[in-house]
Amino acid sequence: MKGTTAAVVGSALVGVVSAQVGNGVVQWNIQKKHKPADPLGLRKRASTYEEVIQNEQIRGGYFTTCKMGTPAQDLTLQLDTGSSDIWVPDSDASVCTSTKNGGCSFGSFDPSNSATFNIVGKNKFDISYVDGSFAKGDYFTDVFEIGGASLTNMTMGLGNKTDIAYGLVGVGYALNEAIVADEQSTSAAYPNLPVNMVDEGLINTVAYSLWLNDLDASDGSILFGGIDTKKYVGDLTRIAIYPTQQGLYTSFLVAFTSLQAVSPSGTDTLTSRSFPIPVVLDSGTTLSYLPTDLAKQLWTEVGAAYSLEAGLALLPCSMQNSKGYFSFGFAGPDGPKINVTMDELVLDLTDGKAPVFSAGEYRGQDACAFGIQNFTSAPYLLGDTFLRSAYVVYDLVNNQVGIAATDFNSTESNIVPFPSMSAEIPSATVAPNQQQATAKPSATQPGYAASSGFTDGAATSSNQKNAAPGMTAARSFSLSSSFVKMRVIRAVATLHSGRAVAARHGVRHFGLASRVAVAALTVDTPSPRWTASQLGSRRHFSETPFARAAVSAADAALKQAKELAAANMTPEAAAARMTPAELKRLSQVRNIGIAAHIDSGKTTVTERILFYTGRVKAIHEVRGRDGVGAKMDSMELERERGITIQSAATFTDWAKKENGVEETYHINLIDTPGHIDFTIEVERAMRVLDGAVMVLCAVSGVQSQTITVDRQMKRYSVPRVSFINKMDRMGANPFKVVEQINKKLKIAAAAIQIPIGSEKEFEGVVDLVEMRAIRNDGARGINLKISKEIPAEIKELAEQKRNELIEKLADVDDEIAELFLDEKTPTPLQIKAAIRRATIALKFTPVVMGSAIADKSIQPMLDAVCDYLPNPSDVPNMALDLSKGEAPVALIPYNSLPFVGLAFKLEENPYGQLTYMRVYQGSIKKGQYLFNSRSNKKIRIPRIVRMHSNEMEDVAEIGAGEICAVFGVDCASGDTFTDGHLPYGLSSMYVPDAVMSLSIKPKRSSDADAFSKAMNRFMREDPTFRLHVDEESEETIISGMGELHLEIYIERLRREYKVDCETGQPRVAYRETVTTRADFDFLLKRQSGGPGDYARVCGWVAPNERNAEENHFETQVVGGTIPDKYLASCGKGFHEACVKGPLLGHKVIGTELIVNDGATHVTDSSDHAFSLATQMAFRKAFESAGGVVLEPLMKTTITAPAEFQGNILMLMNKRGTIVDTEVGADDFTMVADCSLNAMFGFSTHLRAATQGKGEFSMEFSHYAAAPPHLQKELVAKYAKELEDKRTK
Ligand SMILES: Nc1nc2c(ncn2[C@@H]2O[C@H](COP(=O)(O)OP(=O)(O)OP(=O)(O)O)[C@@H](O)[C@H]2O)c(=O)[nH]1
Ligand SMILES: [Mg+2]
């Protein structure tokens, strides 16, 4: 069964793939409606596309005019957020040829008249809707135009058989396409309209805004790729879209959490057993559908009742004059509210004369449909009757909806495009407290206080006016005559094949969506981001090359976005301006970092690189017997301990030989430490490098820090070559490692080599691209023996792995996919080009292998670095234009452009302060002046050097795209330097927070000077190392990333500065926060003879839902009860109070303080008084706001031989929660979330429990409330300390 499905998916998509690539180059007719300023004349920027849509009341829904085919055929299609395919009726379909119902007056499509029409899925298109209507036929590709945007290769459905006389433009999630449900496979998805627009560079991200005008205006607009800030009033608020239980995003499902009826006579809070109610925002549905219990309350408020004849709740048409409205609340108590007035909720039933109530209390009045109807099961729908009042932005990348009240009267326009792929909705703030969306409101019945106000003024019968509130049960009526029903529901496509049947049987069945909706709403975490890699993994990324079609959309969109949003100037465009000499220079520069799990052999590999490139004359091992030590581990401590502590930079030239031609590549290389405590070193290396070599151990594969460095590489978009080291080790299994890279790191990877011999017999590799054997020869493997003879016993394996490589490439590269589909074998040149393209595009990593210790196969790895990693002009590097609100601008590694460089690392050496600099644009000469764009200082560069570990080499000039170090520059790590003409800044790197600290003091007081000098230096060099003096205890406290981190600095103090120190017990960096809201009204009134202090502040303290790590201050004072300048002092007071929490004196995080009222005194109020009053108010409110102590939880990974599993389990049980255990052939790995507190001295316990054979690593994960007993103990201890101090 499974096989057949797969085959079907395959054949469906073969067409799609070949159709996409078959047409060759596509030229886009990009119309820029909102062309940005273009200083360099080279920018290409994605724009926004707007289309007016018309409300067709009788047909139900909003329609838009589009063009399709070549020559273009005009069509009017319904716009639908509830489905995701574009489809049109075939002009041969009987619904169009029959004249019975007027045929297809909105237009149908004649494929025989389009030169660009191409069938890509014969009989694959099959969609049905909840009202039983359907369309079936072929999937095809053709030109499609909407709102001035033209897409030449749009996949669409052709309705050969359908009972709907017009087509649709579904703009929902691609995963909601009919093909996905029909094939029951997410990998069948194709890039639908919004994704394709991104793919084609027309817009920057998969998002659009939709606003429908009011009912009378009969039109609306859809704006792809942007928002129009003039089309809404009030705030635009972001709320989460909820995924299915499988974690997939398929519909615009949001949490509807409250409903109020408001009229001149009063306000009612309406209730439902179903709150929080999952609702789908669906522009393809005319009316809105809510749970019956809630709908009935709405009907009671407005005097509507259900008519069996009409199958709808009806009310008198005159109710459109009612003054009442309904206020819809979303995403919890503090979420956005949208008011829907009655004139939007009373709809004509026909386009002719309205039917009349023939009996009952409304007798003689015209009957209209009420805009809110009932459904009996989830998901409920908010259709056009709701959406007309809401301006909605659909962000399909961040899975958020931006919502605000529509500005019906707007005549102005201010379009703001999304700046880049995955950018959040512009000008929108996130709804606070969204996790409370899951809370059930208390269920009491409304008092119907608003009811009479709804009918006042609307000319309803006197009966109604006199009816007691809430009394509609007795209402009865019938209608005057039969009438043509308006088409009220089309709505949510029922994508399951079985669903149409269910719908026809009158069962409201929503398949996937309904099964998932309610449960999904109980998820209280923010929705995860929809990234290309997540999609890739869900879509069985590696199963088949056909899956490529599915992910290409996201991948291409990301790539495009990176090029466009990031730069608005492609590297190609930059290259086009360069001289051939410059291009040649750059094409031979590689800036690379070596990063990996601890001890995987980075430094050993680097040592070989330096040796083979002739940079060092002899190889010295890490902790080798010769006592010299590896070049890159130059610090004494590194050599002793055999670990890298500081990253070290070097440069070298590699003469790469290819087909007898030698080309010299200039490689700047940084060897980084693997231990997590020194993670900042990896972070800053990744910030400035263009590519990386990720080293893995052939036995251990992907380990905990591999995952950390993977994250860092992804954070800075660094392409990588993967090198499997230690092929000589027993149990080496490179293919298992390749699989782990694919699965655990979720990046497509394939071996481009296979080993010759294994373990001790490991001799070299077979190069799968050229199909040749490469072995090392001569002393220390200095020569390479290359042969076309592949050993017979691995020939078959080589063929197999080469095919796997090609298949993998077909997944990520169009050209190889095309060859693959045509069953052609790519040439080595084509394979190489594809590997390079895919690697630089971050879609793939080629895997090479060797053994550094045995001097095997390092040179082919260097070749791979040159072949597949980018040169500085291949990757977009961005600066922020400080004069334009930090708008991103591209930097071009062109020597003659103005200089821009980043100081990424500082180091003190005997000659003074050394500043490592990455030159992004322009060049510098010795003696030249540069500007520090942070401090605005002009400085002279007296000396430029290239670093070679701890040695340096003077140079007179350094070119664009290179790395160097400069002397005598006073700056901080992360400062940007320019030539003084460009107002640019470079975004700095991510610096993790410290998790532990200890008190420290020099043993001899005479060492105080040396101590402070050393501390200043360490802090300047290492942003993760911090020092402060505790006011109360007057102790000096140092804090950092872990025990080893601090231990190393203490040791360096001793060795390098000869300062011996006393240290206290390691302490955990606790945090404090509040858990609920607490109001305060605080009066500070002090009189002491002269001028006193007077300040009154009112407001509240609450958790900061926007950011659990940051504090937020806000003023909501109306009427100027506190003047602005004092409000600023309140803010200052609050932030000061957060430095030292009330519970432990540790930092307060994730807290907000709002001031909304207060009072001043003519003479006694001052900045000081308000700051103080706020601090005191905060401290007082902290307790009632449920103040808690937070402790850091550490993600701890322990690896040990399998026999110790029991011991480790016992050790860990006491310390944390075990998250994962993986048992390998010989050893096992356990991952646990542990309290840092419990982990001090853990290495000793681990050693004892595993006879010294266990290893562990620890990384900060998040803050969580400390156990109550510990909190109590800590708070009591702190209180006692304070008390002791007071009484001292
Ligand atoms: N068997 C084997 N051992 C190796 C190989 N390469 C390195 N080692 C050993 O692995 C240990 C760690 O090597 P390093 O080069 O210091 O590893 P590293 O990745 O630089 O370590 P950190 O910088 O501390 O993260 C040393 O004992 C090396 O001798 C190899 O190819 N095979
Ligand atoms: Mg090392």
Side-chain angles (χ1 to χ4, degrees), residues 596-605 621-622 633 642-645 671-675 725-729 850-854:
H597 186 79
I598 188 162
D599 265 0
S600 42
K602 296 172 290 292
T603 305
T604 311
V605 167
E621 301 300 356
V622 170
D633 283 351
I643 57 166
T644 305
I645 293 168
D671 173 27
T672 66
H675 197 288
N725 189 31
K726 307 199 182 180
M727 285 296 295
D728 59 293
R729 272 189 66 185
S851 162
I853 206 86

